[in-house]
Every structure is written in C-alpha cells, then in structure tokens.
Amino acid sequence: MNHLDPDSQRLLEANDQTRIDFIRKGTLINYPKANQAIQRIESLIHQPDSHRMVGGLLHGPSNNGKTTLLLYIQRKYGRACNLETGECRQAVLYVCAPINCDDKTLLILILEALGSPYRIDKPRLLLIQVTHILRHIGLRMLIIDEFQQLLNGTTRQQLIMRDLIKTLSNEVRVPILAAGLNSARTAIQSDEQLFNRLKPIDLPRWTTSAEGIEAYRSLLKTFERWLPLQHVSNLSERAMVEKIHKQTRGLIGEIAELLIVAAIYAIESKVEKITPALLNEVVSNPAMYTTPPQSAYK
C-alpha cells in the first residue's frame, strides 16, 4: 500500500466506520502555497516590538483555505494558563466579522473572544477595555477574518473602522492579520497607511495551466496519500485532474469536500477507490454532495 501515508496505511486494518470517521475529521493538507503563507504569518508574530507593527492581509476567493490556516495559527499559538497563579497568556486572538460589522461590534467580538464581561451601554469604554486587556495577555497578533465586512458601510463608517484598526495596532503594539476576499485588498488601497501596514499574502485558485498543473497534481497526490482507501485512485492522472478541477473550480475547499464525499462513498460501496464513474455518481446525487461532511478547508 505504497500509495498511502503511514497513518492512513495503518487504518486499512480498521473497520469501515473508523476509516470514515477519520476522513470526516479532515486534515490540514500541506502544500507549498499554504506553507509559505504560514511562514509569512509566523514571521509577523515573531517580529520585534516597534511603534509601527507590520501586519498582513491574507486574501483569496471564498472556500480556498483562508479560515483553515487562521484556525491552525490560533491553535498553535493559543491560550496558555498557569494553574498555580491562574494567569493566562494568549499570543494569538481570532475573531470573525459578521456582515456590516461596525466599530462597536468589532470591539464586543474581541471582548467575547477573550471571555471578558463588558458594558454594552457604555460604548466609549469598550476601546479602553480592549486595549487594556490585550496589553496584559501577551498578545502577539490579532486576527480579523472576513475583513471585507468591516469596510462595507458608509464612507464615514469606513473611516471610523480604518482608524480603529490603526488605533488597535498602535495602542497594543501587535500586528493585525486581516483575512478576506480579494475585495478586501481593493477596499484598503485607498488608505495608504492601512495598505502599507497590511502586507498582502495571496491564496489564489488552483489552475491546470502549464504553470500550475504540476502543483495541482501534487496537491491531488497529497490528498490520495491521506485518504485510507484500499486501492490506488490515480487522482493525479490527466483525466482525473481535469474532472476534479472542472467540478471544484480550483478551490481547495471544494476539492476537499468532493474528495471526502467520494472517499466515504468508495468505502461504503466497497469500491475502495475514487474513479471517474464514482465521481459522476457523487456529483449527480444532490443528497450526497450538496450536504458534504465538514471539510477541513474554508
């Protein structure tokens, strides 16, 4: 079973349900672009303190792995508490902006992520409270996901939000990592200060062009090594590459969802490999494919 990673190979001795549960959990697939993004983000976390901390803007199309990378960073640099003193340190804090998020909502999201009580009837105190707490928990990075939602208001609301982002970075002296759609990068280009602080980190779609085909094939090989199926699927062969790309539009979240559903069906149907015919069955069955298991990629 040389087509599998060691952990997946050992699972072949387990029963079908154990293998299905393993697949449903998902995994963080290592690939060069994601690894480069993680390295860039970690370099921001470890940068020396200064009066003007450099942040980043992780951007790309929806369902292309941004949130997965952010949550990986959050877990790696999560909260650590001293059981004797009760003191907690948190190097990375993650929040996700809702639709039409304003400055008050963002500050409340930060306080709720910290588990801190707050007075909703005293909005002017929210910023003071946020900056005070963030200074004392050892924060090294503030992550704001769905960043484009912060810049969808009126011109005045956008100015207030941009000033808040700069104030948080200045007062707490931590880098801010924004993440969102490509429209987020367009939205901050009109603010030279903010644009210079948030250095772009791109997660583009996968392509089958001459420049991108080998990287895409390598990605599919990595997925195949992870999926604990008895037989070789040959996902990196040209016909399978084109079929998967056409169905998933080059988005890693959709690639993961398709292959997860297909692998589970391959186990349940005793086929034990992903074939073009099996992919056709999965895609043509709405009950099977429109509500796929939780993907590791968003």
Side-chain angles (χ1 to χ4, degrees), residues 52-283:
R52 186 183 178 89
M53 302 295 284
V54 177
L57 174 60
L58 181 68
H59 66 96
S62 178
N63 206 11
N64 206 35
K66 297 183 295 297
T67 299
T68 296
L69 295 187
L70 299 180
L71 295 178
Y72 167 79
I73 292 292
Q74 184 196 33
R75 288 193 300 270
K76 183 173 180 179
Y77 297 92
R79 177 177 291 194
C81 296
N82 186 314
L83 296 179
E84 294 183 0
T85 64
E87 182 183 15
C88 292
R89 310 287 285 177
Q90 185 158 353
V92 170
L93 184 69
Y94 170 92
V95 295
C96 183
I99 295 175
N100 298 323
C101 182
D102 61 15
D103 55 321
K104 178 181 174 182
T105 301
L106 178 61
L107 292 171
I108 289 174
L109 285 172
I110 293 172
L111 290 169
E112 289 185 343
L114 291 165
S116 176
Y118 55 87
R119 292 285 298 273
I120 198 168
D121 59 329
K122 295 188 176 181
R124 292 186 178 181
L125 296 180
L126 292 176
L127 178 58
I128 296 172
Q129 184 181 0
V130 165
T131 55
H132 174 77
I133 295 175
L134 294 184
R135 284 195 197 107
H136 289 83
I137 62 170
L139 193 72
R140 298 297 305 166
M141 173 174 281
L142 173 62
I143 297 176
I144 305 175
D145 201 0
E146 301 297 343
F147 192 73
Q148 70 277 355
Q149 303 296 353
L150 275 60
L151 305 172
N152 282 342
T154 64
T155 301
R156 180 176 180 276
Q157 289 171 330
Q158 290 182 36
L159 287 172
I160 291 172
M161 186 60 75
R162 289 169 180 164
D163 285 343
L164 175 59
I165 298 300
K166 287 180 276 191
T167 298
L168 285 173
S169 181
N170 290 338
E171 293 294 321
V172 187
R173 291 198 175 184
V174 297
I176 290 176
L177 177 64
L181 303 178
N182 291 322
S183 59
R185 185 180 183 188
T186 303
I188 69 170
Q189 286 178 337
S190 60
D191 188 315
E192 185 176 357
Q193 286 187 337
L194 195 57
F195 186 70
N196 287 334
R197 290 185 189 212
L198 302 181
K199 303 300 183 182
I201 305 171
D202 186 20
L203 279 181
R205 291 176 187 264
W206 295 85
T207 73
T208 55
S209 65
E211 296 78 16
I213 184 66
E214 288 306 315
Y216 189 52
R217 292 182 65 216
S218 178
L219 175 72
L220 296 180
K221 287 179 182 178
T222 303
F223 269 107
E224 182 162 0
R225 288 194 298 269
W226 168 63
L227 295 168
L229 299 176
Q230 298 283 353
H231 306 307
V232 178
S233 298
N234 292 318
L235 297 181
S236 61
E237 288 190 352
R238 186 76 195 192
M240 291 291 277
V241 167
E242 292 177 351
K243 192 173 193 66
I244 293 168
H245 189 269
K246 181 179 180 181
Q247 181 61 36
T248 62
R249 303 175 297 156
L251 298 172
I252 194 169
E254 296 189 15
I255 295 168
E257 290 173 356
L258 175 61
L259 295 180
I260 284 172
V261 175
I264 291 172
Y265 184 49
I267 293 173
E268 292 175 338
S269 63
K270 308 302 180 184
V271 175
E272 289 291 343
K273 64 179 178 179
I274 299 173
T275 65
L278 185 141
L279 286 177
N280 287 339
E281 287 189 61
V282 168
V283 171

Side-chain angles (χ1 to χ4, degrees), residues 1 34-35 254 268 289:
M1 303 299 175
N35 292 335
E254 296 189 15
E268 292 175 338
Y289 186 53

